[in-house]
Amino acid sequence: MKLVVGLAGASGSIYAARFLRALSEIPGDTYFTVSPASLRIFSEEYETKVSNAEDVLDFIQQRWKPETKHKFHIRDFFDIGSDIASGSNSWDAMVVVPCSMKTVASINAGFTENLIERAADVSLKERRRLIVVPRETPYNRIHLRNMLSLDEAGGIIVPASPGFYQMPKSLDDLGDFIAGRIFNLLGVESELFPKWDPKK
Ligand SMILES: Cc1cc2nc3c(=O)[nH]c(=O)nc-3n(C[C@H](O)[C@H](O)[C@H](O)COP(=O)(O)O)c2cc1C
């Protein structure tokens, strides 16, 4: 499995962190890029200081000590000449988690000013799976229109709305619910949340 994963500046660093933790344990390759806003929010939400993509991966390694089977290849958010800025390089899917309304709007408009926006644009034009995990509340009509339009363009919207029917015991369980849904869409089996059993 070859992925592109981007962290954009929305609240919900836990969704990125729990997804990356689980991804670390799966063989494969990920091109990884983070926006400055995502680093600021990650730092605030985890009461830490992450200054770059490497810091984010180190934080996850130190906090949960996942068995590392995955290779992460860090790419500069501002390098619009990166390999993943071009459709001539291939990947199976791209995940933007979490995703700000600004990045949803940019991808929807085809306005690609940074590497997340450009790789997402490439994913759509090359008909590769693009999974976007937006977070905002409440939504205005611009947000709603952009998300509908992005879905119509082939993107998959996975709202950062964890379910509660499986009785989460911790914040990590809520993060894993969304991480598990992303894995479902990537076609990867995971044990991140219990399957619904109506007989229970
Ligand atoms: C603490 C903090 C929390 C934020 N939370 C959100 C959010 O949940 N959703 C959102 O759309 N924007 C949020 N923003 C605003 C975005 O970070 C801002 O629009 C930024 O320009 C997004 O850039 P990026 O998508 O390139 O990372 C937040 C900003 C800060 C500082």
Side-chain angles (χ1 to χ4, degrees):
M1 184 173 54
K2 205 195 257 190
L3 300 179
V4 174
V5 174
L7 272 54
S11 181
S13 308
I14 191 169
Y15 302 119
R18 295 300 290 181
F19 173 67
L20 290 167
R21 184 204 65 84
L23 186 61
S24 299
E25 301 196 327
I26 296 169
D29 287 81
T30 287
Y31 298 98
F32 183 52
T33 188
V34 303
S35 78
S38 79
L39 292 170
R40 175 175 169 170
I41 297 168
F42 196 102
S43 297
E44 288 186 21
E45 295 189 336
Y46 274 111
E47 295 179 308
T48 184
K49 176 73 194 147
V50 288
S51 304
N52 51 47
E54 239 152 34
D55 287 352
V56 172
L57 296 176
D58 285 350
F59 175 86
I60 289 161
Q61 188 60 41
Q62 279 167 28
R63 190 169 177 119
W64 293 295
K65 305 193 172 34
E67 196 187 334
T68 312
K69 294 189 191 154
H70 203 85
K71 283 197 199 126
F72 289 94
H73 310 277
I74 291 170
R75 294 293 181 264
D76 181 351
F77 180 73
F78 295 106
D79 182 11
I80 42 82
S82 170
D83 44 6
I84 56 167
S86 169
S88 59
N89 288 304
S90 63
W91 54 88
D92 300 310
M94 175 167 177
V95 181
V96 187
V97 56
C99 191
S100 68
M101 290 300 130
K102 174 264 197 182
T103 292
V104 168
S106 301
I107 299 170
N108 180 51
F111 183 84
T112 68
E113 213 183 23
N114 61 53
L115 197 52
I116 291 182
E117 293 162 357
R118 173 61 187 165
D121 197 59
V122 170
S123 299
L124 291 176
K125 84 183 174 73
E126 301 295 337
R127 307 298 193 264
R128 297 176 195 155
R129 192 155 278 221
L130 172 64
I131 297 165
V132 173
V133 184
R135 205 228 65 99
E136 188 48 274
T137 194
Y139 293 128
N140 63 35
R141 229 175 263 197
I142 298 168
H143 301 149
L144 291 165
R145 279 199 200 102
N146 283 337
M147 287 189 288
L148 177 61
S149 170
L150 188 48
D151 174 273
E152 286 165 351
I156 302 173
I157 304 290
V158 179
S161 311
F164 289 83
Y165 54 89
Q166 282 150 329
M167 311 309 281
K169 306 276 183 302
S170 66
L171 288 179
D172 284 347
D173 285 351
L174 294 175
D176 283 351
F177 185 96
I178 297 301
R181 291 307 172 114
I182 298 170
F183 281 115
N184 280 358
L185 288 163
L186 293 173
V188 175
E189 278 289 321
S190 82
E191 308 272 311
L192 288 174
F193 57 85
K195 307 281 173 292
W196 171 244
D197 179 357
K199 291 184 222 93
K200 258 190 179 171

